């Protein structure tokens, strides 16, 4: 029996990957690790191990992870948050030397994709449509950003260069508020300001590549942000309702976005795009992991985590009539806290609204 080690278990992104692997009776043994014992206890992994590590990761994390690998001898290791992906990539040779496979991009690609400003510079240099953005090193930069980037109401978009879930995101036209916001995050030099996009209109293009060839890609647009009314920005990184969607412009932008950073893509690439005021999708980041709602696609008939592990463990590739957006448009995935997500359709929702069921 093959073994797969997966990190950051017990929370939605990793658990939905595990559920996808177990879907239709997957036969690998899943070893889950986490720094949070409360998350571990809720995980569906077959076995679980606690890995202590400091906030910024480092030697303690490396030693803890390699010890688990030495004990369990997994055939594949999968990392499920951006900080861990970047950190583990630094000692990938030591992981591979132990006989554990990895399916991830080159380290330099990961460095760029986990830093939103580095990504922005690469895309801009390659002629990809992105919102004008600048790094905010001090208060003079912040003042200049309002002058150069503000919309008709003087608003700009602030966000942290590293982190998920809308970390540090703030739309504002108030200089004093903006500087206090950055102070709270101790973020001078680690925040960007950019032109305001339509934060309520976003799409994600999730893809798997193998040695430069696209294996499969599926687009999902976000109908709503979960708990968006609890944040200043309206952005949480949590999809409330997602919908399968296809658009040739989105496909073209996503392909260009990936290839601008990595000429030989290998692994998972999730391209987040937000529409500008002219309704054109602008890339905002690439994640090198499965997004939170990957089980949505599995339930709909496209098990991307299974495709991923079958490629690297068994050299088995999917037979797909369409590798680009194989799922039908209009499938909905509705989510909320403390209940199972539901797969439905736009038609079913319309019937409810029209009181036909």
């Amino acid at each position: 029996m093959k073994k797969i080690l997966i990190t950051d278990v017990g929370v939605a992104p990793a658990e939905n990957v595990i559920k996808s692997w177990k879907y239709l009776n997957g036969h690998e043994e899943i070893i889950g690790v986490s720094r949070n014992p409360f998350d571990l206890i809720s995980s569906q992994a077959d076995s679980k191990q606690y890995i202590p590590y400091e906030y910024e990761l480092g030697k303690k994390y490396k030693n803890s992870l390699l010890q688990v690998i030495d004990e369990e001898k997994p055939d594949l290791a999968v990392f499920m948050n951006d900080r861990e992906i970047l950190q583990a990539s630094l000692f990938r040779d030591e992981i591979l030397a132990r006989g554990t496979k990895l399916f991830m991009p080159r380290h330099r690609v990961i460095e760029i994709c986990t830093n939103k400003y580095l990504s922005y510079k690469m895309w801009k240099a390659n002629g990809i449509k992105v919102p004008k953005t600048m790094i905010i090193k001090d208060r003079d930069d912040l003042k200049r950003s309002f002058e150069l980037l503000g919309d008709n109401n003087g608003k700009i978009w602030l966000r942290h260069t590293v982190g998920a879930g809308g970390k540090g995101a703030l739309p504002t036209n108030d200089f004093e508020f903006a500087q206090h916001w950055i102070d709270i995050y101790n973020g001078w030099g680690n925040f960007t300001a950019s032109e305001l996009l339509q934060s309520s209109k976003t799409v994600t293009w999730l893809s798997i590549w193998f040695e430069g060839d696209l294996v499969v890609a599926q687009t999902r647009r976000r109908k709503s942000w979960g708990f968006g009314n609890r944040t200043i920005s309206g952005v949480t990184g949590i999809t409330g309702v997602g919908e399968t969607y296809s658009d040739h412009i989105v496909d073209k932008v996503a392909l260009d976005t990936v290839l601008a950073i990595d000429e030989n893509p290998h692994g998972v690439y999730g391209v987040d795009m937000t529409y500008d005021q002219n309704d054109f999708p602008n890339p905002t980041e690439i994640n090198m992991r499965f997004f939170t709602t990957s089980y949505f696609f599995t339930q709909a008939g496209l098990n991307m985590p299974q495709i991923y592990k079958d490629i690297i463990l068994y050299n088995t590739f999917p037979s797909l009539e369409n590798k680009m957006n194989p799922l039908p448009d209009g499938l909905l995935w509705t989510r909320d806290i403390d209940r199972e997500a539901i797969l439905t359709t736009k038609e079913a929702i319309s019937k409810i609204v029209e009181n036909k069921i």
Side-chain angles (χ1 to χ4, degrees):
M1 178 182 291
K2 299 285 189 182
K3 291 184 177 182
I4 304 175
L5 182 146
I6 181 169
T7 71
D8 214 28
V9 298
V11 293
E15 289 305 299
N16 281 322
V17 169
I18 292 172
K19 287 201 293 187
S20 295
W21 286 335
K22 290 176 175 287
Y23 194 68
L24 299 179
N25 301 315
H27 53 273
E28 294 82 17
E29 179 184 347
I30 311 302
I31 304 157
V33 299
S34 175
R35 67 188 181 278
N36 188 327
F38 298 102
D39 289 338
L40 277 174
I41 200 168
S42 64
S43 176
Q44 295 185 41
D46 298 310
S47 63
K48 307 167 217 182
Q49 293 213 30
Y50 172 70
I51 293 186
Y53 60 85
E54 62 274 24
Y55 178 73
E56 293 297 334
L57 301 180
K59 187 175 181 181
K60 186 185 294 185
Y61 172 77
K62 173 183 174 180
N63 291 342
S64 299
L65 182 69
L66 290 179
Q67 182 177 343
V68 173
I69 290 174
D70 286 336
E71 292 171 356
E72 297 289 349
K73 297 179 171 51
D75 299 278
L76 170 65
V78 179
F79 301 92
M80 286 301 297
N81 75 53
D82 297 336
R83 285 172 47 228
E84 282 190 290
I85 292 168
L86 179 62
Q87 186 65 29
S89 178
L90 289 169
F91 57 93
R92 64 170 66 197
D93 289 345
E94 294 178 64
I95 296 173
L96 294 170
R98 286 163 162 80
T100 297
K101 295 180 179 180
L102 298 172
F103 191 4
M104 60 169 58
R106 291 175 292 113
H107 183 73
R108 180 54 182 162
V109 172
I110 294 172
E111 283 184 321
I112 295 170
C113 289
T114 51
N115 185 302
K116 297 176 179 66
Y117 189 61
L118 292 180
S119 300
Y120 161 78
K121 290 200 296 184
M122 289 287 287
W123 294 328
K124 185 175 175 60
N126 281 273
I128 293 170
K129 180 72 171 65
V130 285
K132 292 178 182 176
T133 301
M134 58 184 288
I135 197 79
I136 305 300
K137 297 178 182 176
D138 52 36
R139 285 159 180 78
D140 288 339
D141 283 343
L142 181 60
K143 187 174 295 184
R144 191 160 54 252
S145 73
F146 279 98
E147 297 168 356
L148 298 176
L149 306 175
D151 65 5
N152 293 334
N153 297 313
K155 276 189 177 183
I156 60 171
W157 183 264
L158 295 173
R159 68 172 181 168
H160 208 289
T161 58
V162 178
K167 182 179 178 181
L170 175 71
T172 185
N173 57 6
D174 188 318
F175 174 80
E176 294 297 327
F177 185 23
Q179 71 172 357
H180 289 314
W181 184 262
I182 297 174
D183 280 339
I184 288 169
Y185 280 90
N186 191 26
W188 300 103
N190 293 311
F191 261 69
T192 60
S194 65
E195 295 175 306
L196 209 62
L197 301 174
Q198 301 183 62
S199 60
S200 62
K201 192 171 182 181
T202 68
V203 294
T204 295
W205 188 86
L206 184 65
S207 62
I208 300 173
W209 300 70
F210 185 79
E211 295 181 353
D213 292 326
L214 178 66
V215 176
V216 63
Q218 177 63 48
T219 308
R220 174 211 65 182
R221 63 180 172 185
R222 185 177 287 105
K223 304 287 284 183
S224 68
W225 289 103
F227 313 108
N229 60 351
R230 306 293 202 274
T231 67
I232 295 174
S233 67
V235 172
T236 62
I238 302 168
T239 297
V241 179
E243 178 186 3
T244 53
Y245 174 69
S246 60
D247 179 81
H248 71 278
I249 293 175
V250 168
D251 294 337
K252 176 67 165 58
V253 170
L255 287 168
D256 290 345
T257 296
V258 171
L259 294 172
I261 290 178
D262 191 352
E263 72 280 2
N264 191 42
H266 187 69
V268 175
Y269 297 69
V271 184
D272 282 346
M273 289 166 272
T274 301
Y275 287 79
D276 60 24
Q277 306 308 321
N278 295 314
D279 275 340
F280 191 85
N282 288 220
T284 56
E285 65 182 314
I286 296 178
N287 291 305
M288 323 254 73
R289 53 178 169 76
F290 290 105
F291 56 38
T292 301
T293 56
S294 60
Y295 195 57
F296 170 21
F297 292 169
T298 297
Q299 285 275 296
L302 179 65
N303 193 331
M304 294 181 78
Q306 178 179 312
I307 290 170
Y308 172 93
K309 60 93 175 168
D310 283 352
I311 288 172
I312 204 69
L313 289 180
Y314 309 111
N315 195 33
T316 300
F317 290 79
S319 178
L320 298 168
E321 185 175 341
N322 298 310
K323 64 171 60 176
M324 192 80 77
N325 298 312
L327 293 176
D329 289 355
L331 300 177
L332 298 177
W333 191 246
T334 72
R335 307 168 65 228
D336 201 357
I337 194 168
D338 288 340
R339 73 158 170 83
E340 288 294 320
I342 297 169
L343 178 65
T344 185
T345 63
K346 293 168 69 174
E347 291 74 19
I349 299 298
S350 294
K351 287 182 180 179
I352 292 173
V353 172
E354 296 166 6
N355 295 316
K356 291 185 177 179
I357 61 172

